[in-house]
Amino acid sequence: MIKKILVLGTLAVFSVGCKTSQLPEPAPKPEKKKSSLKDYSSIITSEAKSDDGLFTTHFVDDKLYFEIPVEHFEKDMLLVSRIAGIPSGFGGGYVNAGSKVNEQVVRWVKRDGNVDMKVISFENQSDENSPIYKSVQANNFFPILYSTKIEAWSKDSSSVVIEAGPLFETEVNAINGISSRLRKQYKVKKLDKSRSYIESARSFPKNIEIKHVMTYEAETPPERDQAGTISMLLNQSMILLPENRMQPRLADVRVGWFTIEKYNYDSEELKADNYKIIRRWKLIPKDIEAYKRGELVEPVEPIVYYLDPATPEKWRPYFRKGIEDWNVAFEKAGFKNAIIAKDPPTKEEDPEFSPEDVRYSVVRYVASTTRNAMGPSVTDPRTGEIIESDIIWYHNHLRSYRNRFMIEAGAQNPNARTLNTPEAEIGEMMRMVIAHEVGHALGLPHNMKASSAYPTDSLRSADFTQKYGLTPSIMDYARVNYVAQPEDKGVRYIRMMGPYDLYAINWGYRYLPEANSPLEEKSTLDKWILEKAGDPVYEFGDGYSGADPQSQRESLGDDQVKASEYGIKNLKKVVPQLVEWTSRDGYGYEELDEVYRELQYMWRGYISHVITNVGGIYETRKTADQGGSVYEPVPKNIQKQAVSFLNKEAFTTPQWMLDENLLGKIESTKVVDRIQSLQTRALENLLNKDRLKRMVNNEESNTKESYAVVEMMRDLRKGIFKELYTSKQTDAFRRNLQRSYVDIAASYLEELENGKDREILKSDIMPLMRGELSHLKKDLNGRKYNIRHALTRYHWEDLVARIDAVLLMNPS
């Protein structure tokens, strides 16, 4: 468009030369307009603190100015908003320093004596020469994020000076650190400008970094001692996007990649054709002919990660290995030395080195109590090219892996039986966490389905685990081998990279020199997928549906019931040893309390892995040219086996968890409530409305082979109320569980009264729960006098009263 305007301008000049007398007075020259502005030196005084780079930033007193080169107007820039510092308790622990708030493309546009910053979208696309192009433009008008007047021109007229401070000192929703949900939760009133300010502004050759403090008045801040105030430090990165655009690669649901969605209005389809492209680094071989011959070739620009100068020396070798482990995968894609880990340069080696500089990707070591690690990246939304990424390792994540290793491997591995995990083991765990996060930064999402490719009992084999690891993908959540038993010698306990990772990197990164468009690549990419079709090692599942038992976080092996049996068997051996393993002379039992609580969390996870089989659906991602179904219900025998396991392990009082020696050191009276909470959560999960509806649907579509929902409820009732059917007394734990069963069933019927969930009102869940409660009431009335234990009889009479109350309030 700019070129077209220049051409028209040139034609106008030639026209002036031919017919001077017929033209109106010439427009004022730009210099005259500029002369009415302030002089550059009166704005950018000798007291200014300036930093040269993409734009020159100037601090004059308390004002921030941008000096924008004219050549950078209309250029695409990525504005990335992150939280750099947050108050304690913010977001309930789910928001950390480093969390991304927003990512959007902006352009700085000169408009007469003003400069606008517009937000640009590349989601809807059409060729400029297409008739529909004008309509696409008209119906996707770009909003103005910030507008300000030009304060001055530079002395050589190559740049303009604007005041940029108000963009970062006032509340702009697009770069705001507090979401609407948190704003409502904390009852945020307003931004206090007197306590909001710009902390720093740095300019680099390809990006600008602004840190600014935002202070809000809030009625209910995250912590009481915050005095009605929420202050947070935000970091705004403005990054110049490449002029030479990378060729995008079309995504495919059968291979896991982070993606960007697009809509093509030039499509021949009778709709706007939506498609996705993958996010990846731009890797081009130095010697394309050698690459074509199948030789390993270095890329023109390798992916380089620098270690944070704050990284402790003893952990640096493990971090470097975790980064460069991916070279094995890139070799599968034809590249050697594609990814390189470097120590941070000294001041002498690179005086301008900064982790904030977009030219440097850094593995940051953050001194924080946060127990996490992240692998975010910055992506060009036009093409999917990853521009830069910073892996974040929070120091206290060591604690997570120390605890998990003790809990899940303590029964089998002597090295796990200490709070001071040996360096070899904790270092290997750190290495694999870094490799996992680098995988995200390369474009790979979690593949929760990978672990189900391996037979569960293979994880007890030294030969198998040392060769293949715990799962085909490092991108799965499968951190510690909890399946292995104490008698299994030489097994691997820590995850590692697997064959799926090599396959995915080859699929996403192999350079296809003969293909001149994304569509020309597709047949080759499809061929690679079909070559692996039917092999579970190369299947992908993100685990988000919650319905596929083969696609779950922290699950190991293809048989979730057997894996959970092994896992709980190990937990039972660990509990009696925790006091010894976590105690230190002169210290209390805080570590014991923490590890014991996390052990219960692990137990809950094992139970959940089994529950997912009930009403579960196997998903195998396919395209229309592949035979067979995408969705298949879990076989009836597996679902019945799962409920049998639950009655035995989840809905029977876990006496092994109630170690008196342990509990006597960490609590006084909460043990009954603790077990009730665990069992009630499991029961609520099992009786989840979506699960029950799937069971009804499966029964209708496959009557003979399905596990009927009525049969499941009968099996469950016989387990939870086994004392009723065997005339035995109940203890406090069992009474709590039985009350939870009645309460959960009753909660569905109560929807008749409040009518909020119309989905339940119209489903078979209502008559199912009414029938179950009526059946249970009949059994309670017929058997409650068979027991002499008074509290048990009172308990059953109370259940009858509860059932009567809900049935009376909600008659059929």
Side-chain angles (χ1 to χ4, degrees), residues 205-220:
K206 295 182 179 180
N207 63 297
I208 293 172
E209 302 294 322
I210 308 293
K211 281 188 168 67
H212 58 113
V213 173
M214 305 290 276
T215 298
Y216 299 88
E217 294 179 11
E219 288 185 20
T220 57

Side-chain angles (χ1 to χ4, degrees), residues 436-450:
H436 176 95
E437 301 305 338
V438 169
H440 285 321
L442 295 175
L444 302 181
H446 291 129
N447 182 4
M448 300 304 186
K449 196 176 184 70

Side-chain angles (χ1 to χ4, degrees), residues 451-489:
S451 58
S452 65
Y454 290 166
T456 299
D457 279 324
S458 294
L459 302 179
R460 300 184 60 186
S461 164
D463 290 342
F464 184 91
T465 55
Q466 295 296 347
K467 182 176 181 179
Y468 298 108
L470 313 186
T471 166
S473 176
I474 192 72
M475 304 314 298
D476 200 344
Y477 273 180
R479 303 171 220 244
V480 176
N481 186 351
Y482 61 81
V483 167
Q485 297 298 291
E487 61 268 25
D488 303 330
K489 307 302 179 184

Side-chain angles (χ1 to χ4, degrees), residues 407-409 411-412 456 481-486 556 560-576 599-611 642 644-657 678 682:
I407 295 164
E408 295 195 304
Q412 316 94 290
T456 299
N481 186 351
Y482 61 81
V483 167
Q485 297 298 291
L556 288 178
Q560 293 77 41
V561 175
K562 183 182 287 188
S564 292
E565 284 176 344
Y566 283 137
I568 291 176
K569 193 175 179 181
N570 285 331
L571 295 186
K572 291 176 180 179
K573 294 182 176 70
V574 166
V575 168
L599 179 142
Q600 292 177 329
Y601 176 81
M602 307 291 179
W603 176 87
R604 202 172 79 199
Y606 300 160
I607 297 300
S608 179
H609 296 160
V610 175
I611 289 174
S644 176
F645 169 90
L646 294 170
N647 277 330
K648 177 184 176 184
E649 296 292 353
F651 304 134
T652 297
T653 305
Q655 294 292 343
W656 58 272
M657 246 188 239
L678 288 171

Side-chain angles (χ1 to χ4, degrees), residues 777-805:
K777 174 188 170 183
K778 178 182 177 182
D779 288 349
L780 286 166
N781 280 328
R783 297 170 182 265
K784 63 185 178 183
Y785 296 111
N786 293 348
I787 189 71
R788 292 184 179 181
H789 186 248
L791 195 50
T792 297
R793 189 168 64 252
Y794 296 157
H795 161 64
W796 286 342
E797 288 173 347
D798 175 68
L799 292 183
V800 171
R802 289 173 184 239
I803 294 171
D804 279 341

Side-chain angles (χ1 to χ4, degrees), residues 529-774:
I529 295 173
L530 293 175
E531 287 173 352
K532 303 295 186 184
D535 188 338
V537 167
Y538 301 101
E539 289 183 3
F540 171 73
D542 54 28
Y544 291 141
S545 74
D548 186 354
Q550 304 285 42
S551 186
Q552 301 187 75
R553 61 176 57 199
E554 310 294 354
S555 178
L556 288 178
D558 62 349
D559 185 334
Q560 293 77 41
V561 175
K562 183 182 287 188
S564 292
E565 284 176 344
Y566 283 137
I568 291 176
K569 193 175 179 181
N570 285 331
L571 295 186
K572 291 176 180 179
K573 294 182 176 70
V574 166
V575 168
Q577 308 302 323
L578 286 182
V579 174
E580 178 186 344
W581 295 350
T582 61
S583 297
R584 293 183 295 168
D585 292 346
Y587 292 87
Y589 294 103
E590 291 81 8
E591 300 275 17
L592 171 64
D593 188 25
E594 176 179 300
V595 173
Y596 180 64
R597 288 177 185 276
E598 291 187 26
L599 179 142
Q600 292 177 329
Y601 176 81
M602 307 291 179
W603 176 87
R604 202 172 79 199
Y606 300 160
I607 297 300
S608 179
H609 296 160
V610 175
I611 289 174
T612 308
N613 284 277
V614 183
I617 304 288
Y618 296 141
E619 179 188 22
T620 305
R621 300 186 176 204
K622 297 180 179 181
T623 50
D625 54 316
Q626 295 177 267
S629 299
V630 173
Y631 301 102
E632 294 282 352
V634 174
K636 177 179 179 178
N637 66 307
I638 294 178
Q639 295 190 57
K640 282 186 70 71
Q641 183 186 7
V643 172
S644 176
F645 169 90
L646 294 170
N647 277 330
K648 177 184 176 184
E649 296 292 353
F651 304 134
T652 297
T653 305
Q655 294 292 343
W656 58 272
M657 246 188 239
L658 308 177
D659 185 278
E660 292 183 9
N661 180 42
L662 186 156
L663 291 174
K665 293 176 171 56
I666 62 173
E667 65 181 28
S668 55
T669 60
K670 293 183 179 180
V671 62
V672 174
D673 293 340
R674 189 192 291 262
I675 298 302
Q676 181 187 25
S677 176
L678 288 171
Q679 292 186 320
T680 300
R681 283 190 179 205
L683 190 55
E684 287 173 339
N685 187 0
L686 180 61
L687 298 181
N688 172 273
K689 68 176 182 180
D690 293 329
R691 187 181 320 284
L692 297 177
K693 287 173 63 179
R694 286 197 300 269
M695 295 188 76
V696 172
N697 290 335
N698 291 342
E699 188 176 354
E700 287 300 313
S701 61
N702 192 12
T703 308
K704 292 182 180 179
E705 297 300 323
S706 64
Y707 187 29
V709 68
V710 172
E711 184 180 357
M712 185 275 287
M713 293 297 292
R714 183 182 67 241
D715 291 344
L716 181 63
R717 177 170 22 92
K718 290 294 179 64
I720 290 179
F721 291 90
K722 64 183 177 184
E723 294 88 352
L724 177 66
Y725 298 109
T726 57
S727 299
K728 294 181 180 179
Q729 73 180 53
T730 57
D731 60 20
F733 300 103
R734 298 291 294 166
R735 292 193 294 273
N736 276 338
L737 175 62
Q738 291 166 7
R739 276 189 285 268
S740 292
Y741 178 93
V742 171
D743 290 346
I744 292 169
S747 69
Y748 281 112
L749 293 185
E750 287 164 359
E751 282 298 325
L752 286 172
E753 187 175 351
N754 60 47
K756 292 181 180 179
D757 195 331
R758 299 184 63 83
E759 193 178 342
I760 291 177
L761 293 175
K762 295 180 178 180
S763 74
D764 283 328
I765 297 176
M766 301 298 284
L768 172 70
M769 292 305 170
R770 185 184 302 280
E772 280 302 306
L773 288 176
S774 297

